[in-house]
Amino acid sequence: MSFDVAELLTLYEIVNFSFPERYEELIQEIAEKGSRLLGIRRLAIMVDEGGRLICLGKWGFRKGEDFAQRITDPGENGFVYTMSHGLRGLIFLEASARISGREKRLFNIFARRIEDVIALKQMESKIKESEREKKTILDSILELLIYQDAEHRIMWANTSAAKYAGKRSEELTGGLCYETLYRRKEPCAGCPVASALKTGVPQEGLVTPLEGKQFFVRGYPVKSQKGIIEGIVEVCFEVTERIQAEEAFRTIFNSVHDAIFIHEPEGKILDVNETMLRMYGIASKEEAVKLSIARDYSSPDSPLEQLREWWKKAVEGESPRFEWKARRPVDGTVFDAEVCLKKITFAGKEAILATVRDITARKREEELLRSIFGHSPIGMYIVSKGRFRLVNAQFEKLSGYSQEELIGREALSLVYPEDREAVRRNAVRMLKGMAAQPYDFRIITKHGEIKWVEETVASLQHEGQRVTLGNIMDITEKKRFAQKLEYVSLHDQLTGLYNRAYFEEQLKRLGKSNKYPISIIVADVNGLKLVNDTMGHQKGDKLLIACAQILKKALRPSDIVARVGGDEFVALLPRTDEATGSNILHQLRLSIERYNRKHPQLPLSVSFGIATAYNSEELLKQTYRRADDLMYREKLYLGTSARSKIVNALLAALSERDHLTEGHGRRLQHLCRILGEKMGLSRQQLANLSLLAQVHDIGKVGIPDRILFKKGPLTEEEWEIMRQHPEKGYRIALASPDLAGIADLILKHHEKWDGSGYPLGLKGEEIPIECRILAIADAFDAMTSDRPYRRAKTVEEALEEIRRCAGTQFDPKLVEIFLQVILTKEEVSKGQKVAN
Amino acid sequence: MAGIPELRVGVGFSDEHDAEAAVQRALEQALSRTGRPALTLVLTTEGYAPEEVLAGAVKMVGNSPLVGAWTPGIIFGFEVCARGVGVCTIGGEGIEAVTHLERTISACPFARGEKAGEALIDKGGESPGTVLLFPDGSSANISELLRGLYNAMGPDFKYIGGGSGDNLRFNSTYQFTEEGVGSDAIAAAVLRGINFNVELDHGWSPAGEPFTITRAEGRRVYEIDGVPAFERYTALVRRCTRNGFPYYGMQYPFGLPAAGGKFIIRDPLKAEEDGSILFVTEIPENTIATIMEGDAESLVAAAGRVAESALNTPATPKVLILFDCVSRYLLLGKDFSREMEAIARRLKPEIPVFGMLSFGEISSVSGTPLFYNKTIVAAAGW
């Protein structure tokens, strides 16, 4: 077998690969060598990856050309080489023409060489992959990882270190550790790397390479098989923040207002804060940690069993919070505390953190609040989920139920059923802050009494729940008063009818209503003033009440009757036409007549006016005015006759009351007439004198019986009333046309000659002659008549007395004449006969 | 003969100064033979602005495909013309052509080659044909470019061509198609309906012991057998000195083994200060090579053999296209006319000859397109 040079060179070259970095370049090289040296026109390399053939590279196949098909069916110019008996994959080579035996051998050599290269490359990839993995792992470590030599020169650094230095990993290599990482000129003081180098064993410690920056550094010496230190692996991480955080924690630990104990789960105290020392009055931590929480820091009265339970819960991971009687070991004083236990990790171990809060002040406050709650004059309650949870004494009192009966009961059940919805609505509004004013409603007490209450509610946190605090006040009285006030403001006190204000309101309201036709009756009590003045207001009031009752009785419920003035009444009659109105008025008049028949001593006289409106408000006011006018017209028409009736009634009443005085009147009339005639009085004067003799005491109708008929002397006060009768008589007389002419005489009939009389204190002849005559005659008759309290004087005694009073009490001239007259016995006896 | 298309080939040449006029004169001669062409091949030497040449040509051939390049010399009528514009028009029934211009081929030559191949397939389809290639021979790794092109087009095509260049001034050179003019580009055309019988030879023989290119990058060889390239070269070619290197390099090129016991020649260009050697064409690392030698006799004989074999076609060829390495022209000097004569002797006078002095030659005679140096490629179209 012989080879020429070219063939030898070919053989030599096909096994000579440059072993390129990337698979693409390897394929290029295979294509170059294959096409140039072996005339290969197509090739493909398939590798086995988990049982599947994956194309590592191909050449000479057009896009989309099915090369797999070509490999399966290589034909005469195709050559398939199986790598590791097919386990690694295959190599396909295609020549331009049928492959000769010689070519096949060359192809085989070529393919085997390719297989070697691929195997090498795969191994290389695996190594690279594992190196990459290692690098990824080291790079993923957050700590700074630096491999350095004895001179602190960096041989390798991970990404964290590079990131810290602000450079790429490769840039760190060769630099001095302290210079590259911390920009220092010399190694850090106390660097564990240096001591690890010296000692040959791992070292660690805190390093401050820069001001304000602290690092935790570990140095691990890396030794060769012979034990020579080749370098140091430095692992470091910044702990500035952690140290700052620890310092901050210490500050907080010591400055909180709660005492803090840190215990082992078994109970031994590990640490306490400064607040604890202050709170318990202990001098030092060393002393504090020696003592026992159960024995020394708890009051002997505290239930230690309970403490064990809580402790167990804390160890199991719960955070119990409870109140406790804490004890100061120094002096044994006890204070109220709130304790919270919590499991924590302390210095890498499980621990129990106990925070103790001095709640003495809070307890005091709670006590105060409880006392306020208990003694509040306001009914207070706490409701949660619609049911009473807590009530105070005042609430019990108010509702009539006991606390036991109320707790758990539905809050709204106490509310008057009709008011429940409003209460619910108002409460919700107030709880939402939409309303601030208290609202009122009715409750039904245990005893069935309905009470008005005023309530405010507020939302608050109670025992960890959101609850409603309610405050209620009993406003039943207030409410009643308000109702009364309302009644008063709209009603006339005396008659119980509506007042003027209400009437005017109704007039307006009706004016706008559709209750037309509306008739208005105006009624005015005649002679009220006379009655008031003479018989007193009580009588007048009686008259008004009588009038009101008659009106009320005669009118329909739909009619509105009001007292609009002292003696004036108005009735509004809705849906009443003129005819009906007149009919009603007629009935009214009949009622008054009936009344007067029953009460002749004080008859009721009323003037009426009626008018009807058919529409519009303006017309209604006019109608009222028209009715008023008509009433006045009737009053005018009735005029004096009405008053006379009253005066007559008064006289009747007077005579009925004082039967004695009636006889007295007649005797007096007789004596006066004689004297008058003697004095040459005119006929009119004599008539007046006669009348005066009869009615001069008409004013006495207003004097109460107890004064008028008093046995024994009158008091000054009684005299005062007594002395009013001339004026009252004067007013009565003025009201009566029959008596008006003698009104002045009635007024002056108690004047005395010397001016010591009353009411005007007239003197001498200022006193009308009729009065002077009456005075003498009256005194004589009085003295000569029996009185309940004394016997009658004799004529002589009487005359003597009159004589004695001449010039003081009586007109002396008249006394003279009177004496003459009286001394004529006949006259006297005549007079006595008359009297009998 | 039924089924064989009627192939018409026309050639023309002009050395008029005006580029447009020159191309038009040349085309007038060629088109008189072919009528409207399926493909126009335009070669131009320095002194003619390629844009003007192209504009002039387009005015004549319209939008029909056109491919061409700059060359240091145009072979026309067995003469080498160092100045002028030469054209070859190929037409006839059933003749089809598409062209493509791929630019910036020195960046990622493999990918650019693939892209050019895909473009040609896209434009003209996958059916077999002949690919005419005119890469910029001075810049890129043409071997890689060809491997990329081949990877896209596959073994169903024949590949021929020559590197374009500028008469060793190494300034810039141009490649163009009807799409435009490029530099650092490859102008390519696929021609269908015409058969080419391609032959290749160089006349160089191995002249010494083999050695290994132990470190190389592109066109630069740093180390041979682990020692600086120039040092090793002078040990092999003892007479060679640094100053004399251009001469000795041309005389004693490298031969890389190739299929069928043949050699691919790699032409050294320059001995660098750092001891490396710059080659005309890239040399892969880990390649076994040997020093080659040849003389006028062997070179001319090779040209004769190439022409003879190429022209041995089933039917009378209509054209002979030549890609003759410029270094052969330079090396042979006045003997170059002997090379032309050797070809002419084997050719019927009516068969037109059209060719270029090339900066590297392309042929797929060994199965795939390879880039050769110091070689003559002859393609007889029939």
Side-chain angles (χ1 to χ4, degrees):
Chain A
M1 197 178 277
S2 67
F3 293 99
D4 66 13
V5 178
E7 272 186 349
L8 271 174
L9 295 184
T10 300
L11 200 56
Y12 187 13
E13 196 180 333
I14 55 175
V15 294
N16 209 7
F17 274 89
S18 68
F19 200 67
E21 178 77 18
R22 296 184 307 139
Y23 274 111
E24 291 85 345
E25 285 164 5
L26 176 68
I27 301 300
Q28 284 281 335
E29 194 173 341
I30 292 167
E32 195 276 326
K33 283 198 193 313
S35 61
R36 174 166 58 85
L37 297 167
L38 304 172
I40 287 166
R41 64 177 199 180
R42 290 209 280 211
L43 60 90
I45 300 167
M46 310 293 287
V47 291
D48 187 278
E49 262 189 34
R52 277 181 66 215
L53 281 180
I54 304 291
C55 179
L56 192 68
K58 61 185 174 71
W59 181 70
F61 291 97
R62 272 203 303 269
K63 218 182 206 175
E65 202 172 339
D66 188 4
F67 67 96
Q69 174 66 37
R70 185 77 189 95
I71 293 164
T72 321
D73 179 19
E76 282 189 332
N77 47 356
F79 174 83
V80 176
Y81 173 86
T82 54
M83 294 191 277
S84 303
H85 309 288
L87 290 173
R88 191 173 280 158
L90 59 87
I91 297 165
F92 171 77
L93 303 171
E94 184 186 297
S96 304
R98 185 175 164 274
I99 301 166
S100 64
R102 195 189 192 110
E103 279 169 331
K104 209 171 261 179
R105 279 192 296 279
L106 285 173
F107 282 15
N108 207 42
I109 294 165
F110 186 52
R112 195 177 297 156
R113 185 59 191 143
I114 292 169
E115 180 186 7
D116 290 346
V117 173
I118 288 169
L120 271 170
K121 282 212 75 69
Q122 283 177 337
M123 200 185 296
E124 189 188 46
S125 305
K126 270 186 192 158
I127 292 164
K128 274 187 186 163
E129 190 55 43
S130 86
E131 274 179 1
R132 209 168 14 245
E133 275 170 14
K134 263 186 237 159
K135 189 175 183 306
T136 307
I137 291 165
L138 296 178
D139 279 342
S140 70
I141 294 170
L142 286 175
E143 282 86 0
L144 278 56
L145 213 64
I146 301 134
Y147 183 44
Q148 52 187 282
D149 64 12
E151 274 76 46
H152 296 286
R153 207 163 283 284
I154 298 170
M155 295 192 276
W156 185 85
N158 72 346
T159 308
S160 296
K163 209 180 270 177
Y164 182 79
K167 292 177 176 174
R168 286 185 286 120
S169 292
E170 310 85 82
E171 287 176 323
L172 261 53
T173 310
L176 289 165
C177 165
Y178 50 84
E179 206 174 78
T180 313
L181 287 178
Y182 311 121
R183 293 179 182 82
R184 283 174 65 95
K185 291 205 166 70
E186 73 284 339
C188 311
C191 177
V193 172
S195 34
L197 257 170
K198 264 185 213 159
T199 58
V201 290
Q203 301 285 332
E204 61 180 42
L206 278 178
V207 172
T208 310
L210 300 166
E211 202 176 324
K213 293 235 174 202
Q214 282 169 307
F215 281 79
F216 181 79
V217 177
R218 281 200 194 104
Y220 296 92
V222 178
K223 294 175 185 173
S224 69
Q225 284 181 336
K226 288 177 184 170
I228 298 160
I229 297 174
E230 290 181 334
I232 301 282
V233 172
E234 178 185 345
V235 181
C236 69
F237 52 92
E238 197 178 337
V239 291
T240 316
E241 281 183 17
R242 192 184 298 175
I243 285 170
Q244 282 170 354
E246 273 173 20
E247 277 168 13
F249 166 73
R250 271 282 143 198
T251 310
I252 294 165
F253 182 69
N254 286 322
S255 61
V256 288
H257 292 301
D258 294 344
I260 298 175
F261 294 78
I262 298 173
H263 303 265
E264 284 180 355
E266 292 72 34
K268 186 185 178 314
I269 301 168
L270 295 171
D271 199 1
V272 296
N273 68 348
E274 280 164 17
T275 309
M276 181 272 162
L277 299 179
R278 281 198 299 277
M279 196 182 282
Y280 285 83
I282 295 176
S284 70
K285 283 191 181 184
E286 291 68 31
E287 203 179 312
V289 299
K290 279 182 206 156
L291 302 175
S292 144
I293 191 81
R295 206 173 51 242
D296 306 305
Y297 292 118
S298 300
S299 158
D301 302 334
S302 297
L304 289 174
E305 275 310 309
Q306 189 64 48
L307 180 66
R308 267 191 276 280
E309 280 299 308
W310 281 317
W311 197 268
K312 202 175 146 203
K313 279 186 181 176
V315 172
E316 284 164 0
E318 286 182 44
S319 303
R321 186 183 289 271
F322 53 91
E323 286 185 9
W324 195 246
K325 290 277 181 200
R327 177 175 175 270
R328 295 187 180 88
V330 181
D331 55 8
T333 53
V334 172
F335 63 95
D336 285 305
E338 187 186 70
V339 182
C340 179
L341 301 178
K342 190 166 177 55
K343 188 163 83 172
I344 58 162
T345 304
F346 179 73
K349 289 178 185 165
E350 274 190 6
I352 300 294
L353 177 85
T355 52
V356 179
R357 181 168 295 181
D358 184 348
I359 56 164
T360 313
R362 196 177 88 192
K363 276 279 176 195
R364 219 177 285 139
E365 264 173 37
E366 277 177 10
E367 197 50 52
L368 181 67
L369 285 175
R370 198 170 296 123
S371 170
I372 291 170
F373 188 77
H375 296 100
S376 172
I378 296 168
M380 293 167 94
Y381 64 83
I382 284 175
V383 159
S384 116
K385 292 175 183 157
R387 290 179 189 278
F388 287 111
R389 296 287 172 235
L390 200 61
V391 296
N392 71 350
Q394 182 61 20
F395 192 87
E396 289 179 293
K397 200 171 150 192
L398 220 147
S399 64
Y401 290 100
S402 69
Q403 172 140 338
E404 292 71 32
E405 288 170 312
L406 285 167
I407 302 300
R409 191 188 173 115
E410 202 176 326
L412 278 176
S413 69
L414 257 63
V415 179
Y416 190 73
E418 274 178 30
D419 295 353
R420 281 177 196 169
E421 190 44 45
V423 169
R424 196 199 312 273
R425 205 171 45 241
N426 284 324
V428 168
R429 277 172 60 80
M430 191 172 275
L431 290 174
K432 282 184 177 171
M434 292 156 72
Q437 288 299 316
Y439 47 89
D440 48 28
F441 58 90
R442 289 164 290 183
I443 60 164
I444 306 169
T445 69
K446 188 182 178 182
H447 313 294
E449 194 188 344
I450 292 172
K451 280 186 180 172
W452 275 98
V453 294
E454 189 175 73
E455 183 178 62
T456 56
V457 288
S459 178
L460 49 89
Q461 202 72 23
H462 176 69
E463 291 174 354
Q465 272 191 323
R466 189 137 289 275
V467 298
T468 303
L469 169 72
N471 296 292
I472 64 168
M473 274 174 73
D474 185 352
I475 55 157
T476 313
E477 278 309 311
K478 199 169 122 188
K479 205 78 178 171
R480 256 182 224 147
F481 181 72
Q483 281 172 349
K484 204 167 169 186
L485 207 66
E486 193 188 351
Y487 182 84
V488 166
S489 73
L490 298 175
H491 288 79
D492 172 39
Q493 289 268 62
L494 181 68
T495 60
L497 297 181
Y498 291 114
N499 62 9
R500 181 166 200 103
Y502 183 81
F503 163 74
E504 284 185 350
E505 199 57 43
Q506 290 304 310
L507 192 70
K508 268 189 215 164
R509 189 180 64 82
L510 274 178
K512 288 176 190 164
S513 75
N514 55 358
K515 294 185 177 170
Y516 286 92
I518 299 166
S519 292
I520 301 177
I521 294 173
V522 176
D524 196 279
V525 178
N526 296 320
L528 180 69
K529 188 167 163 49
L530 186 63
V531 175
N532 276 342
D533 288 351
T534 57
M535 301 174 78
H537 282 280
Q538 276 179 336
K539 290 277 190 234
D541 289 350
K542 214 171 153 186
L543 214 55
L544 285 169
I545 291 164
C547 180
Q549 281 170 348
I550 289 164
L551 285 168
K552 193 87 190 151
K553 213 169 169 182
L555 294 171
R556 302 158 302 183
S558 60
D559 301 331
I560 297 157
V561 192
R563 181 181 168 207
V564 296
D567 52 4
E568 193 172 334
F569 295 86
V570 183
L572 284 166
L573 315 176
R575 295 211 172 87
T576 308
D577 60 11
E578 213 169 338
T580 316
S582 298
N583 206 8
I584 290 169
L585 186 55
H586 181 66
Q587 292 301 321
L588 271 174
R589 288 187 203 279
L590 290 177
S591 298
I592 288 170
E593 274 175 29
R594 268 198 300 277
Y595 173 83
N596 284 346
R597 275 200 294 279
K598 279 186 189 167
H599 302 89
Q601 76 285 6
L602 189 59
L604 179 62
S605 167
V606 181
S607 300
F608 287 104
I610 181 165
T612 306
Y614 284 88
N615 52 39
S616 112
E617 187 187 357
E618 193 50 41
L619 201 57
L620 200 59
K621 275 188 182 169
Q622 283 175 2
T623 308
Y624 173 47
R625 215 169 291 142
R626 208 163 65 234
D628 205 37
D629 287 347
L630 287 171
M631 182 276 293
Y632 272 108
R633 195 175 296 167
E634 186 176 300
K635 206 177 196 65
L636 216 60
Y637 173 72
L638 285 173
T640 52
S641 77
R643 286 198 294 276
S644 296
K645 269 187 200 163
I646 294 168
V647 172
N648 289 341
L650 290 175
L651 283 173
L654 190 63
S655 63
E656 206 164 282
R657 270 175 79 195
D658 185 6
H659 57 278
L660 290 169
T661 45
E662 196 197 4
H664 162 73
R666 287 194 192 148
R667 283 195 302 275
L668 205 56
Q669 219 175 359
H670 179 66
L671 280 174
C672 284
R673 199 180 67 238
I674 297 168
L675 201 53
E677 282 169 358
K678 274 274 180 206
M679 288 305 293
L681 297 184
S682 68
R683 282 184 67 82
Q684 183 61 47
Q685 277 180 309
L686 284 173
N688 284 354
L689 189 57
S690 171
L691 195 56
L692 181 67
Q694 265 186 34
V695 304
H696 64 276
D697 272 340
I698 194 168
K700 282 186 178 169
V701 291
I703 293 170
D705 287 354
R706 62 178 171 86
I707 298 171
L708 203 58
F709 303 122
K710 188 175 178 186
K711 290 176 182 172
L714 296 179
T715 64
E716 187 49 38
E717 201 181 327
E718 287 162 345
W719 267 119
E720 189 60 37
I721 295 166
M722 202 61 154
R723 278 197 286 265
Q724 286 172 0
H725 84 272
E727 284 168 64
K728 285 188 177 170
Y730 170 76
R731 284 201 288 274
I732 296 167
L734 279 179
S736 162
D738 302 331
L739 302 180
I742 61 160
D744 189 54
L745 301 179
I746 292 171
L747 178 70
K748 295 170 180 170
H749 83 273
H750 262 292
E751 298 294 339
K752 289 181 181 172
W753 185 256
D754 62 358
S756 64
Y758 62 87
L760 303 172
L762 298 176
K763 270 185 188 172
E765 290 188 356
E766 284 173 0
I767 306 161
I769 183 80
E770 295 90 336
C771 296
R772 279 178 275 151
I773 293 170
L774 180 71
I776 296 166
D778 191 26
F780 178 76
D781 188 66
M783 282 187 283
T784 54
S785 306
D786 281 336
R787 283 290 187 268
Y789 44 88
R790 62 161 170 78
R791 276 180 57 83
K793 285 183 179 176
T794 63
V795 173
E796 290 73 25
E797 284 170 341
L799 289 176
E800 188 49 42
E801 183 64 22
I802 288 170
R803 198 179 288 124
R804 195 179 61 83
C805 293
T808 56
Q809 192 173 347
F810 310 120
D811 180 352
K813 268 189 202 169
L814 274 177
V815 169
E816 283 304 311
I817 297 164
F818 182 73
L819 288 172
Q820 288 167 18
V821 172
I822 294 301
L823 287 171
T824 313
K825 280 191 176 179
E826 294 159 351
E827 289 304 318
V828 175
S829 55
K830 213 186 247 180
Q832 280 171 338
K833 275 178 195 166
V834 171
N836 294 335
Chain B
M1 210 158 64
I4 295 176
E6 191 203 342
L7 173 66
R8 291 192 300 272
V9 179
V11 292
F13 178 83
S14 168
D15 57 1
E16 277 195 37
H17 284 286
D18 180 66
E20 262 198 59
V23 74
Q24 284 172 359
R25 287 299 85 73
L27 274 168
E28 276 167 15
Q29 297 159 39
L31 291 173
S32 66
R33 299 274 303 268
T34 57
R36 185 181 164 79
L39 178 72
T40 305
L41 192 58
V42 180
L43 296 172
T44 166
T45 63
E46 62 178 341
Y48 296 91
E51 290 83 3
E52 289 175 26
V53 173
L54 185 61
V58 167
K59 278 179 191 164
M60 296 286 285
V61 300
N63 58 358
S64 80
L66 179 151
V67 69
W70 254 31
T71 168
I74 299 163
I75 300 168
F76 186 78
F78 303 110
E79 291 286 331
V80 172
C81 312
R83 187 182 172 84
V85 178
V87 300
C88 172
T89 55
I90 301 164
E93 209 175 310
I95 310 292
E96 287 171 4
V98 290
T99 65
H100 178 72
L101 184 75
E102 185 67 36
R103 299 170 197 268
T104 56
I105 53 170
S106 54
C108 309
F110 189 87
R112 292 286 166 193
E114 275 190 316
K115 208 177 153 206
E118 281 162 10
L120 290 169
I121 296 271
D122 277 352
K123 288 173 185 174
E126 290 175 0
S127 61
T130 304
V131 187
L132 294 174
L133 296 162
F134 299 93
D136 183 334
S138 62
S139 58
N141 186 328
I142 307 297
S143 301
E144 241 183 82
L145 180 82
L146 293 177
R147 277 199 295 279
L149 183 92
Y150 176 79
N151 197 37
M153 299 186 78
D156 296 340
F157 292 86
K158 272 185 185 155
Y159 302 83
I160 48 172
S164 97
D166 67 346
N167 205 13
L168 298 178
R169 286 194 184 84
F170 299 105
N171 289 327
S172 54
T173 173
Y174 302 95
Q175 303 75 41
F176 47 87
T177 67
E178 74 277 13
E179 292 166 14
V181 178
S183 190
D184 185 22
I186 180 167
V190 174
L191 200 52
R192 292 187 175 86
I194 177 169
N195 299 305
F196 279 102
N197 197 29
V198 184
E199 279 302 329
L200 165 148
D201 208 342
H202 44 63
W204 297 89
S205 322
E209 57 190 295
F211 48 85
T212 310
I213 310 292
T214 44
R215 192 155 81 84
E217 201 177 306
R219 290 159 60 195
R220 193 176 299 275
V221 172
Y222 291 95
E223 285 172 15
I224 297 165
D225 290 338
V227 295
F230 183 70
E231 194 182 309
R232 184 74 182 105
Y233 185 82
T234 50
L236 293 163
V237 182
R238 292 188 183 282
R239 282 171 290 174
C240 179
T241 58
R242 191 173 289 276
N243 289 339
F245 185 75
Y247 171 76
Y248 285 103
M250 207 180 278
Q251 292 282 341
Y252 301 97
F254 283 21
L256 313 184
K262 292 184 175 162
F263 286 88
I264 290 176
I265 309 298
R266 286 290 177 259
D267 231 355
L269 191 67
K270 200 179 169 192
E272 302 282 10
E273 289 295 323
D274 62 358
S276 66
I277 299 170
L278 188 70
F279 281 75
V280 171
T281 299
E282 65 286 338
I283 297 180
E285 217 168 69
N286 282 346
T287 304
I288 308 298
T290 183
I291 298 291
M292 303 294 279
E293 62 180 7
D295 53 23
E297 292 308 320
S298 66
L299 264 58
V300 171
R305 283 199 301 276
V306 163
E308 196 171 322
S309 299
L311 290 164
N312 184 20
T313 53
T316 311
K318 296 286 174 66
V319 65
L320 182 70
I321 296 173
L322 295 174
F323 298 95
D324 203 346
C325 186
V326 68
S327 78
R328 291 172 71 90
Y329 175 72
L330 296 172
L331 192 69
L332 286 168
K334 58 178 178 9
D335 287 332
F336 191 73
S337 57
R338 287 174 58 204
E339 181 156 302
M340 289 296 110
E341 280 165 21
I343 296 164
R345 264 204 305 278
R346 289 160 174 88
L347 199 68
K348 288 178 185 165
E350 66 270 21
I351 299 173
V353 174
F354 187 72
M356 66 187 276
L357 296 182
S358 55
F359 268 72
E361 301 72 45
I362 298 164
S363 160
S364 57
V365 287
S366 68
T368 59
L370 296 177
F371 197 50
Y372 298 89
N373 287 162
K374 274 187 154 53
T375 303
I376 177 163
V377 173
W382 53 277

